Amino acid sequence: MSRVLRIEADGGSRGNPGPAGFGAVVKDAATGEVLAEVAESIGKATNNVAEYRGLIAGLRAAQAVDPDARVEVRMDSKLVVEQMSGRWQVKHADMRVLAQEARSLAGSHVDYGWIPRAQNSHADRLANEAMDAAAAGRQWQRATTEPAAAPGPASAASRAVDPDGPPTTIVLVRHGSTLLTEQRRVSGRYGEDPELSERGVAEAEAAAACREVQGADVVVSSTMRRSRQTADAIAERLGVRVVVDPQWDETDFGDWDGLTSAEVVKRWPREFAAWNDSGDAAPPGGESLRTVERRVLAARDEVLRRWAGQRVVLVTHGDPLRVLLRSVLGAGPQVQRRIHVDPGSRTLLRYRADGSSEVLAVNRV
């Protein structure tokens, strides 16, 4: 079976036309591991031109990673997706040139699909950084094709250049409660995406007011509604921005989503037992803990690279939080289900520039 890469691309302008930029990220489709990023400010252009430029850059980056791989392109631009899929005509002359360039790069091994903007947040973030540079009149670009570091307590990719530099503190916050949380139902990556309950709103406000998050430089959140609402409450209190990254989303629980543990055990007793004991077992239609671990630890390295020496509030979910805690403790996947984290709780991790790390606090409420 050939390797499958996933391209997420975006582009835009401030004014349409106006200062424009694009961003694209290439991931391993099976694991979510980030393999390449590319972004660039392109001066004055329209939204559609910038979106096509993002697609073309993503296709080139995917070729650099693995020219023989099959490619899934996912964008929140319905225009580009429909035109590249051949369902809509490309009427504008500028668009025809760009579409032809994209087709020449894509060949026959690329398929296109639309995704909501919330699921395209990584590329959207890169595009906005490029647009900010364009609006300031600066030339700016970013291109990385290094694979994410292998899982471990603190990989070399996450270390600061100066081994004597200040440590990075990550304040892990589990999102506040939802109705599904209160009913003890499984709530995963592609399920209902519930909002915070009344209790959850109170938990988010309590997290925003706690001393652990004070002085944070940035708030990072998963794309899921309950996480974003919790992150927004914290960021508003601190006066900092929220950076949304889908790699911090909860596990995809597949057919188990929305069910209680008792219901899952009754219908899938063997599958549940295997999932509970092994990092390689996955719920039917879902993802294994090993897959979640790969994307979460790659996202951790990105946080440590971007905000080295700073205090980061990371609002995420039960499984990603437990993965990070295990990685610092050096514990295997069999420990995952034995770690309890309350909604709205805070867990503090410290990463030193020399690669060492330690747990400062667990499950504070």
Side-chain angles (χ1 to χ4, degrees):
M1 180 181 295
S2 63
R3 185 183 191 184
V4 181
L5 301 179
R6 178 183 174 116
I7 297 171
E8 295 167 7
D10 199 8
S13 69
R14 306 280 164 79
N16 197 30
F22 63 77
V25 57
V26 179
K27 301 179 180 180
D28 185 298
T31 66
E33 181 181 8
V34 175
L35 304 174
E37 288 181 329
V38 60
E40 186 177 346
S41 59
I42 56 174
K44 185 176 181 180
T46 65
N47 288 333
N48 295 150
V49 165
E51 288 165 345
Y52 263 106
R53 291 283 300 274
L55 168 62
I56 290 167
L59 290 168
R60 286 177 174 155
Q63 284 190 347
V65 170
D66 187 343
D68 299 319
R70 292 192 299 109
V71 177
E72 301 173 348
V73 173
R74 298 297 179 260
M75 300 179 67
D76 58 56
S77 169
K78 191 169 183 64
L79 175 78
V80 174
V81 167
E82 294 298 316
Q83 287 180 341
M84 292 302 298
S85 299
R87 291 184 289 268
W88 290 3
Q89 290 185 342
V90 185
K91 298 180 179 180
H92 195 282
D94 290 344
M95 296 300 102
R96 283 198 295 270
V97 172
L98 292 170
Q100 183 56 45
E101 183 177 357
R103 290 192 182 100
S104 68
L105 291 167
S108 60
H109 64 299
V110 176
D111 72 85
Y112 296 86
W114 178 86
I115 54 174
R117 180 169 293 276
Q119 293 181 21
N120 200 31
S121 58
H122 193 150
D124 178 72
R125 168 174 58 79
L126 292 171
N128 272 283
E129 289 181 16
M131 282 185 275
D132 288 343
R138 292 185 287 111
Q139 290 293 320
W140 180 87
Q141 65 179 152
R142 177 175 180 180
T144 62
T145 55
E146 297 178 355
S155 69
S158 72
R159 298 177 186 175
V161 175
D162 180 6
D164 297 319
T168 304
T169 300
I170 298 182
V171 184
L172 296 172
V173 178
R174 187 185 173 195
H175 62 79
S177 296
T178 70
L179 291 180
L180 292 181
T181 312
E182 294 167 16
Q183 295 168 3
R184 302 185 67 81
R185 293 186 178 275
V186 175
S187 183
R189 193 175 193 183
Y190 298 119
E192 183 181 322
D193 196 15
E195 63 184 5
L196 294 180
S197 63
E198 185 175 341
R199 180 192 299 176
V201 171
E203 290 164 344
E205 293 296 338
C210 75
R211 66 183 180 86
E212 291 90 355
V213 307
Q214 302 309 309
D217 300 282
V218 66
V219 177
V220 179
S221 171
S222 86
T223 68
M224 308 187 78
R225 186 181 305 173
R226 55 195 182 274
S227 182
R228 297 199 317 270
Q229 289 177 320
T230 305
D232 287 344
I234 296 171
E236 183 177 0
R237 178 71 70 98
L238 297 178
V240 300
R241 63 187 178 122
V242 176
V243 176
V244 179
D245 186 345
Q247 295 206 91
W248 294 111
D249 288 357
E250 180 60 289
T251 299
D252 176 7
F253 292 110
D255 294 345
W256 298 353
D257 215 288
L259 303 178
T260 65
S261 294
E263 291 169 335
V264 171
V265 171
K266 184 176 180 179
R267 295 171 61 179
W268 293 277
R270 293 179 181 176
E271 292 86 348
F272 182 81
W275 173 79
N276 210 35
D277 293 336
S278 170
D280 297 309
E287 60 182 343
S288 70
L289 177 58
R290 197 78 66 188
T291 299
V292 176
E293 185 177 69
R294 290 192 190 100
R295 66 173 166 87
V296 165
L297 294 181
R300 172 207 63 186
D301 285 354
E302 174 68 5
V303 166
L304 295 176
R305 184 192 66 80
R306 291 189 67 189
W307 295 289
Q310 300 184 53
R311 192 175 190 87
V312 180
V313 175
L314 174 55
V315 185
T316 184
H317 307 262
D319 267 355
L321 195 158
R322 286 186 283 262
V323 165
L324 285 187
L325 186 56
R326 285 196 301 105
S327 74
V328 174
L329 295 174
Q334 69 277 5
V335 176
Q336 183 83 4
R337 307 300 163 201
R338 301 177 191 172
I339 301 173
H340 176 77
V341 284
D342 289 304
S345 64
R346 284 84 62 194
T347 294
L348 277 68
L349 308 178
R350 177 185 290 157
Y351 295 86
R352 293 190 178 87
D354 63 4
S356 62
S357 54
E358 60 185 341
V359 178
L360 302 181
V362 178
N363 202 35
R364 283 184 175 171
V365 293

Short mmCIF file of all heavy atoms in Angstrom, two decimals, residues 105-163:
data_model
loop_
_atom_site.label_atom_id
_atom_site.label_comp_id
_atom_site.label_asym_id
_atom_site.label_seq_id
_atom_site.Cartn_x
_atom_site.Cartn_y
_atom_site.Cartn_z
N LEU A 105 1.17 19.68 -11.29
CA LEU A 105 1.87 19.16 -10.12
C LEU A 105 1.16 17.95 -9.54
O LEU A 105 1.79 17.02 -9.03
CB LEU A 105 1.99 20.23 -9.04
CG LEU A 105 2.92 21.40 -9.34
CD1 LEU A 105 2.69 22.53 -8.33
CD2 LEU A 105 4.38 20.95 -9.28
N ALA A 106 -0.18 17.96 -9.62
CA ALA A 106 -0.97 16.94 -8.95
C ALA A 106 -0.97 15.61 -9.69
O ALA A 106 -0.96 14.54 -9.07
CB ALA A 106 -2.41 17.43 -8.78
N GLY A 107 -1.00 15.63 -11.01
CA GLY A 107 -1.12 14.40 -11.76
C GLY A 107 -2.44 13.72 -11.46
O GLY A 107 -3.47 14.37 -11.26
N SER A 108 -2.44 12.41 -11.39
CA SER A 108 -3.68 11.65 -11.19
C SER A 108 -3.80 11.04 -9.80
O SER A 108 -4.73 10.30 -9.51
CB SER A 108 -3.77 10.53 -12.23
OG SER A 108 -2.66 9.65 -12.09
N HIS A 109 -2.83 11.34 -8.91
CA HIS A 109 -2.81 10.68 -7.61
C HIS A 109 -3.25 11.61 -6.48
O HIS A 109 -2.93 11.39 -5.32
CB HIS A 109 -1.42 10.12 -7.31
CG HIS A 109 -0.35 11.18 -7.19
ND1 HIS A 109 -0.02 12.02 -8.21
CD2 HIS A 109 0.45 11.52 -6.14
CE1 HIS A 109 0.93 12.84 -7.81
NE2 HIS A 109 1.24 12.56 -6.57
N VAL A 110 -4.01 12.64 -6.80
CA VAL A 110 -4.47 13.61 -5.80
C VAL A 110 -5.99 13.66 -5.80
O VAL A 110 -6.62 13.71 -6.87
CB VAL A 110 -3.89 15.01 -6.08
CG1 VAL A 110 -4.44 16.03 -5.08
CG2 VAL A 110 -2.37 14.99 -6.02
N ASP A 111 -6.59 13.64 -4.62
CA ASP A 111 -8.03 13.88 -4.53
C ASP A 111 -8.29 15.08 -3.63
O ASP A 111 -7.48 15.39 -2.75
CB ASP A 111 -8.80 12.64 -4.04
CG ASP A 111 -8.57 12.37 -2.57
OD1 ASP A 111 -9.28 12.97 -1.73
OD2 ASP A 111 -7.69 11.57 -2.26
N TYR A 112 -9.42 15.74 -3.85
CA TYR A 112 -9.73 17.00 -3.19
C TYR A 112 -10.99 16.87 -2.34
O TYR A 112 -11.95 16.20 -2.75
CB TYR A 112 -9.91 18.12 -4.22
CG TYR A 112 -8.67 18.43 -5.00
CD1 TYR A 112 -8.34 17.71 -6.15
CD2 TYR A 112 -7.79 19.41 -4.58
CE1 TYR A 112 -7.17 17.97 -6.86
CE2 TYR A 112 -6.62 19.69 -5.28
CZ TYR A 112 -6.32 18.96 -6.42
OH TYR A 112 -5.17 19.22 -7.10
N GLY A 113 -10.99 17.53 -1.19
CA GLY A 113 -12.16 17.53 -0.33
C GLY A 113 -12.25 18.82 0.46
O GLY A 113 -11.24 19.43 0.80
N TRP A 114 -13.47 19.24 0.73
CA TRP A 114 -13.71 20.46 1.51
C TRP A 114 -13.75 20.12 2.98
O TRP A 114 -14.29 19.07 3.39
CB TRP A 114 -15.03 21.10 1.08
CG TRP A 114 -15.36 22.35 1.87
CD1 TRP A 114 -14.96 23.61 1.61
CD2 TRP A 114 -16.16 22.42 3.06
NE1 TRP A 114 -15.45 24.48 2.56
CE2 TRP A 114 -16.19 23.79 3.47
CE3 TRP A 114 -16.84 21.47 3.83
CZ2 TRP A 114 -16.89 24.20 4.59
CZ3 TRP A 114 -17.53 21.90 4.96
CH2 TRP A 114 -17.55 23.25 5.32
N ILE A 115 -13.20 20.99 3.83
CA ILE A 115 -13.29 20.87 5.28
C ILE A 115 -13.71 22.21 5.86
O ILE A 115 -13.44 23.26 5.27
CB ILE A 115 -11.96 20.42 5.92
CG1 ILE A 115 -10.81 21.35 5.52
CG2 ILE A 115 -11.65 18.98 5.58
CD1 ILE A 115 -9.50 21.04 6.23
N PRO A 116 -14.38 22.23 7.02
CA PRO A 116 -14.70 23.51 7.67
C PRO A 116 -13.44 24.25 8.08
O PRO A 116 -12.39 23.64 8.29
CB PRO A 116 -15.51 23.08 8.91
CG PRO A 116 -15.89 21.67 8.69
CD PRO A 116 -14.88 21.07 7.78
N ARG A 117 -13.54 25.56 8.19
CA ARG A 117 -12.38 26.37 8.55
C ARG A 117 -11.75 25.92 9.87
O ARG A 117 -10.52 25.94 10.01
CB ARG A 117 -12.79 27.85 8.64
CG ARG A 117 -11.63 28.78 9.00
CD ARG A 117 -12.01 30.23 8.81
NE ARG A 117 -12.22 30.53 7.40
CZ ARG A 117 -11.25 30.84 6.55
NH1 ARG A 117 -9.99 30.86 6.95
NH2 ARG A 117 -11.52 31.10 5.30
N ALA A 118 -12.59 25.49 10.81
CA ALA A 118 -12.06 25.07 12.11
C ALA A 118 -11.12 23.89 11.99
O ALA A 118 -10.22 23.71 12.81
CB ALA A 118 -13.21 24.72 13.06
N GLN A 119 -11.31 23.06 10.96
CA GLN A 119 -10.44 21.90 10.76
C GLN A 119 -9.23 22.24 9.89
O GLN A 119 -8.41 21.37 9.60
CB GLN A 119 -11.23 20.75 10.14
CG GLN A 119 -12.29 20.18 11.06
CD GLN A 119 -13.05 19.02 10.43
OE1 GLN A 119 -12.58 18.38 9.50
NE2 GLN A 119 -14.25 18.77 10.91
N ASN A 120 -9.14 23.49 9.46
CA ASN A 120 -8.02 23.93 8.62
C ASN A 120 -7.19 24.99 9.35
O ASN A 120 -6.56 25.83 8.73
CB ASN A 120 -8.56 24.50 7.30
CG ASN A 120 -7.51 24.51 6.20
OD1 ASN A 120 -6.62 23.66 6.16
ND2 ASN A 120 -7.61 25.48 5.29
N SER A 121 -7.20 24.91 10.67
CA SER A 121 -6.64 26.01 11.47
C SER A 121 -5.12 26.11 11.36
O SER A 121 -4.56 27.20 11.49
CB SER A 121 -7.04 25.85 12.94
OG SER A 121 -6.60 24.60 13.45
N HIS A 122 -4.43 25.00 11.12
CA HIS A 122 -2.97 25.05 11.01
C HIS A 122 -2.56 25.88 9.80
O HIS A 122 -1.76 26.81 9.89
CB HIS A 122 -2.41 23.63 10.91
CG HIS A 122 -0.94 23.53 11.10
ND1 HIS A 122 -0.31 22.42 11.63
CD2 HIS A 122 0.07 24.40 10.82
CE1 HIS A 122 0.99 22.62 11.67
NE2 HIS A 122 1.25 23.82 11.18
N ALA A 123 -3.16 25.55 8.64
CA ALA A 123 -2.86 26.33 7.42
C ALA A 123 -3.35 27.76 7.55
O ALA A 123 -2.72 28.70 7.07
CB ALA A 123 -3.48 25.65 6.21
N ASP A 124 -4.51 27.93 8.19
CA ASP A 124 -5.06 29.27 8.38
C ASP A 124 -4.12 30.14 9.22
O ASP A 124 -3.90 31.32 8.92
CB ASP A 124 -6.43 29.17 9.05
CG ASP A 124 -7.05 30.52 9.34
OD1 ASP A 124 -7.47 31.19 8.39
OD2 ASP A 124 -7.11 30.91 10.53
N ARG A 125 -3.52 29.54 10.26
CA ARG A 125 -2.57 30.28 11.09
C ARG A 125 -1.37 30.73 10.27
O ARG A 125 -0.93 31.88 10.36
CB ARG A 125 -2.12 29.42 12.27
CG ARG A 125 -0.94 29.98 13.02
CD ARG A 125 -0.61 29.18 14.26
NE ARG A 125 -0.33 27.80 14.00
CZ ARG A 125 0.83 27.33 13.53
NH1 ARG A 125 1.80 28.17 13.23
NH2 ARG A 125 1.01 26.04 13.37
N LEU A 126 -0.83 29.83 9.47
CA LEU A 126 0.31 30.17 8.63
C LEU A 126 -0.04 31.27 7.64
O LEU A 126 0.73 32.22 7.42
CB LEU A 126 0.80 28.94 7.88
CG LEU A 126 1.44 27.82 8.73
CD1 LEU A 126 1.68 26.59 7.87
CD2 LEU A 126 2.75 28.30 9.35
N ALA A 127 -1.23 31.16 7.03
CA ALA A 127 -1.65 32.17 6.06
C ALA A 127 -1.81 33.54 6.72
O ALA A 127 -1.45 34.57 6.14
CB ALA A 127 -2.96 31.75 5.39
N ASN A 128 -2.33 33.55 7.93
CA ASN A 128 -2.51 34.83 8.63
C ASN A 128 -1.17 35.45 9.01
O ASN A 128 -1.03 36.68 8.98
CB ASN A 128 -3.40 34.63 9.86
CG ASN A 128 -4.86 34.78 9.53
OD1 ASN A 128 -5.37 35.88 9.36
ND2 ASN A 128 -5.55 33.65 9.43
N GLU A 129 -0.19 34.64 9.37
CA GLU A 129 1.14 35.17 9.64
C GLU A 129 1.70 35.81 8.37
O GLU A 129 2.33 36.88 8.43
CB GLU A 129 2.06 34.06 10.13
CG GLU A 129 1.74 33.56 11.53
CD GLU A 129 2.70 32.47 11.99
OE1 GLU A 129 3.76 32.31 11.36
OE2 GLU A 129 2.38 31.77 12.96
N ALA A 130 1.47 35.15 7.23
CA ALA A 130 1.94 35.70 5.95
C ALA A 130 1.21 36.99 5.61
O ALA A 130 1.82 37.96 5.13
CB ALA A 130 1.75 34.67 4.85
N MET A 131 -0.11 37.04 5.85
CA MET A 131 -0.88 38.25 5.57
C MET A 131 -0.46 39.40 6.47
O MET A 131 -0.40 40.56 6.04
CB MET A 131 -2.38 37.98 5.71
CG MET A 131 -2.99 37.25 4.54
SD MET A 131 -4.80 37.07 4.70
CE MET A 131 -4.90 35.58 5.69
N ASP A 132 -0.15 39.09 7.73
CA ASP A 132 0.34 40.13 8.65
C ASP A 132 1.62 40.76 8.10
O ASP A 132 1.80 41.98 8.14
CB ASP A 132 0.61 39.53 10.03
CG ASP A 132 -0.66 39.18 10.79
OD1 ASP A 132 -1.73 39.69 10.40
OD2 ASP A 132 -0.57 38.41 11.75
N ALA A 133 2.51 39.90 7.59
CA ALA A 133 3.76 40.41 7.03
C ALA A 133 3.50 41.25 5.79
O ALA A 133 4.09 42.32 5.61
CB ALA A 133 4.69 39.25 6.69
N ALA A 134 2.58 40.78 4.93
CA ALA A 134 2.25 41.54 3.72
C ALA A 134 1.66 42.89 4.06
O ALA A 134 1.97 43.91 3.43
CB ALA A 134 1.30 40.74 2.84
N ALA A 135 0.79 42.92 5.08
CA ALA A 135 0.17 44.18 5.49
C ALA A 135 1.19 45.16 6.04
O ALA A 135 1.02 46.38 5.93
CB ALA A 135 -0.92 43.91 6.53
N ALA A 136 2.27 44.62 6.61
CA ALA A 136 3.34 45.47 7.15
C ALA A 136 4.37 45.82 6.08
O ALA A 136 5.36 46.49 6.38
CB ALA A 136 4.02 44.77 8.32
N GLY A 137 4.14 45.36 4.85
CA GLY A 137 5.06 45.65 3.76
C GLY A 137 6.33 44.83 3.80
O GLY A 137 7.34 45.21 3.20
N ARG A 138 6.29 43.68 4.49
CA ARG A 138 7.49 42.85 4.61
C ARG A 138 7.39 41.62 3.72
O ARG A 138 6.33 41.03 3.60
CB ARG A 138 7.68 42.38 6.06
CG ARG A 138 8.02 43.49 7.04
CD ARG A 138 8.32 42.92 8.42
NE ARG A 138 7.12 42.44 9.10
CZ ARG A 138 6.86 41.17 9.34
NH1 ARG A 138 7.70 40.22 8.92
NH2 ARG A 138 5.77 40.81 9.98
N GLN A 139 8.51 41.21 3.16
CA GLN A 139 8.61 39.91 2.51
C GLN A 139 8.81 38.87 3.61
O GLN A 139 9.63 39.05 4.50
CB GLN A 139 9.79 39.88 1.54
CG GLN A 139 9.59 40.75 0.31
CD GLN A 139 8.48 40.22 -0.58
OE1 GLN A 139 8.35 39.02 -0.78
NE2 GLN A 139 7.67 41.12 -1.11
N TRP A 140 8.06 37.81 3.56
CA TRP A 140 8.14 36.79 4.62
C TRP A 140 7.81 35.44 4.03
O TRP A 140 6.88 35.30 3.22
CB TRP A 140 7.15 37.11 5.73
CG TRP A 140 7.15 36.13 6.88
CD1 TRP A 140 7.96 36.15 7.97
CD2 TRP A 140 6.31 34.98 7.03
NE1 TRP A 140 7.67 35.09 8.80
CE2 TRP A 140 6.65 34.36 8.25
CE3 TRP A 140 5.28 34.41 6.27
CZ2 TRP A 140 6.02 33.21 8.73
CZ3 TRP A 140 4.65 33.26 6.73
CH2 TRP A 140 5.02 32.68 7.95
N GLN A 141 8.57 34.45 4.39
CA GLN A 141 8.23 33.09 3.98
C GLN A 141 8.76 32.11 5.00
O GLN A 141 9.65 32.41 5.79
CB GLN A 141 8.78 32.77 2.60
CG GLN A 141 10.28 32.75 2.49
CD GLN A 141 10.74 32.40 1.08
OE1 GLN A 141 11.81 32.81 0.65
NE2 GLN A 141 9.96 31.63 0.36
N ARG A 142 8.15 30.93 4.98
CA ARG A 142 8.55 29.87 5.88
C ARG A 142 8.50 28.57 5.11
O ARG A 142 7.53 28.31 4.39
CB ARG A 142 7.63 29.79 7.09
CG ARG A 142 7.97 28.63 8.02
CD ARG A 142 7.10 28.69 9.25
NE ARG A 142 7.41 27.58 10.13
CZ ARG A 142 6.79 27.37 11.29
NH1 ARG A 142 5.84 28.20 11.67
NH2 ARG A 142 7.11 26.34 12.05
N ALA A 143 9.52 27.76 5.24
CA ALA A 143 9.52 26.46 4.57
C ALA A 143 10.31 25.49 5.42
O ALA A 143 11.49 25.69 5.69
CB ALA A 143 10.15 26.57 3.18
N THR A 144 9.65 24.43 5.89
CA THR A 144 10.31 23.37 6.64
C THR A 144 9.87 22.05 6.05
O THR A 144 8.69 21.85 5.77
CB THR A 144 9.95 23.41 8.13
OG1 THR A 144 8.54 23.21 8.28
CG2 THR A 144 10.33 24.74 8.76
N THR A 145 10.80 21.15 5.87
CA THR A 145 10.47 19.82 5.37
C THR A 145 11.07 18.75 6.26
O THR A 145 11.21 17.61 5.87
CB THR A 145 10.99 19.61 3.94
OG1 THR A 145 12.40 19.88 3.91
CG2 THR A 145 10.28 20.53 2.98
N GLU A 146 11.41 19.13 7.50
CA GLU A 146 11.94 18.14 8.43
C GLU A 146 10.79 17.39 9.07
O GLU A 146 9.83 17.99 9.52
CB GLU A 146 12.77 18.81 9.52
CG GLU A 146 14.00 19.52 9.01
CD GLU A 146 14.75 20.21 10.11
OE1 GLU A 146 14.26 20.21 11.25
OE2 GLU A 146 15.82 20.76 9.82
N PRO A 147 10.86 16.05 9.14
CA PRO A 147 9.80 15.30 9.81
C PRO A 147 9.79 15.60 11.29
O PRO A 147 10.81 15.97 11.87
CB PRO A 147 10.18 13.83 9.55
CG PRO A 147 11.65 13.87 9.28
CD PRO A 147 11.91 15.20 8.63
N ALA A 148 8.62 15.43 11.90
CA ALA A 148 8.51 15.66 13.34
C ALA A 148 9.40 14.68 14.09
O ALA A 148 9.66 13.57 13.63
CB ALA A 148 7.06 15.51 13.78
N ALA A 149 9.86 15.09 15.25
CA ALA A 149 10.75 14.25 16.03
C ALA A 149 10.04 13.02 16.55
O ALA A 149 8.83 13.01 16.74
CB ALA A 149 11.32 15.06 17.20
N ALA A 150 10.79 11.96 16.81
CA ALA A 150 10.20 10.75 17.36
C ALA A 150 9.72 11.00 18.77
O ALA A 150 10.26 11.84 19.49
CB ALA A 150 11.27 9.64 17.36
N PRO A 151 8.68 10.27 19.23
CA PRO A 151 8.16 10.46 20.58
C PRO A 151 9.24 10.25 21.63
O PRO A 151 10.11 9.39 21.48
CB PRO A 151 7.06 9.38 20.69
CG PRO A 151 6.66 9.11 19.28
CD PRO A 151 7.90 9.28 18.48
N GLY A 152 9.16 11.01 22.69
CA GLY A 152 10.11 10.87 23.79
C GLY A 152 9.90 11.97 24.79
O GLY A 152 9.11 12.89 24.57
N PRO A 153 10.55 11.91 25.93
CA PRO A 153 10.37 12.91 26.96
C PRO A 153 10.59 14.34 26.47
O PRO A 153 9.87 15.24 26.84
CB PRO A 153 11.41 12.51 28.02
CG PRO A 153 11.61 11.05 27.81
CD PRO A 153 11.47 10.84 26.34
N ALA A 154 11.60 14.56 25.66
CA ALA A 154 11.83 15.90 25.09
C ALA A 154 12.83 15.72 23.97
O ALA A 154 14.02 15.57 24.20
CB ALA A 154 12.37 16.86 26.15
N SER A 155 12.36 15.72 22.73
CA SER A 155 13.21 15.41 21.60
C SER A 155 14.16 16.54 21.29
O SER A 155 13.98 17.68 21.70
CB SER A 155 12.34 15.13 20.37
OG SER A 155 11.73 16.31 19.95
N ALA A 156 15.17 16.24 20.49
CA ALA A 156 16.14 17.26 20.10
C ALA A 156 15.50 18.38 19.34
O ALA A 156 15.92 19.53 19.43
CB ALA A 156 17.25 16.61 19.26
N ALA A 157 14.42 18.08 18.58
CA ALA A 157 13.76 19.13 17.80
C ALA A 157 13.10 20.15 18.69
O ALA A 157 12.82 21.27 18.27
CB ALA A 157 12.71 18.50 16.88
N SER A 158 12.81 19.77 19.95
CA SER A 158 12.10 20.69 20.83
C SER A 158 13.05 21.56 21.63
O SER A 158 12.60 22.45 22.36
CB SER A 158 11.21 19.89 21.79
OG SER A 158 12.00 19.21 22.74
N ARG A 159 14.34 21.31 21.57
CA ARG A 159 15.25 22.01 22.45
C ARG A 159 15.61 23.39 21.92
O ARG A 159 15.74 23.61 20.73
CB ARG A 159 16.54 21.20 22.61
CG ARG A 159 16.29 19.84 23.26
CD ARG A 159 17.56 19.03 23.34
NE ARG A 159 17.28 17.68 23.82
CZ ARG A 159 18.19 16.74 23.90
NH1 ARG A 159 19.43 16.98 23.53
NH2 ARG A 159 17.87 15.54 24.34
N ALA A 160 15.81 24.30 22.81
CA ALA A 160 16.26 25.63 22.42
C ALA A 160 17.72 25.55 21.98
O ALA A 160 18.46 24.63 22.33
CB ALA A 160 16.13 26.60 23.59
N VAL A 161 18.18 26.53 21.20
CA VAL A 161 19.56 26.54 20.74
C VAL A 161 20.51 26.69 21.92
O VAL A 161 21.55 26.05 21.98
CB VAL A 161 19.77 27.69 19.73
CG1 VAL A 161 21.23 27.80 19.34
CG2 VAL A 161 18.90 27.47 18.49
N ASP A 162 20.17 27.52 22.87
CA ASP A 162 21.01 27.77 24.04
C ASP A 162 20.65 26.77 25.14
O ASP A 162 19.56 26.84 25.71
CB ASP A 162 20.80 29.20 24.55
CG ASP A 162 21.64 29.51 25.77
OD1 ASP A 162 22.47 28.65 26.16
OD2 ASP A 162 21.46 30.60 26.35
N PRO A 163 21.54 25.82 25.48
CA PRO A 163 21.20 24.83 26.50
C PRO A 163 21.03 25.43 27.89
O PRO A 163 20.50 24.77 28.78
CB PRO A 163 22.38 23.86 26.46
CG PRO A 163 23.51 24.65 25.90
CD PRO A 163 22.88 25.61 24.92
#
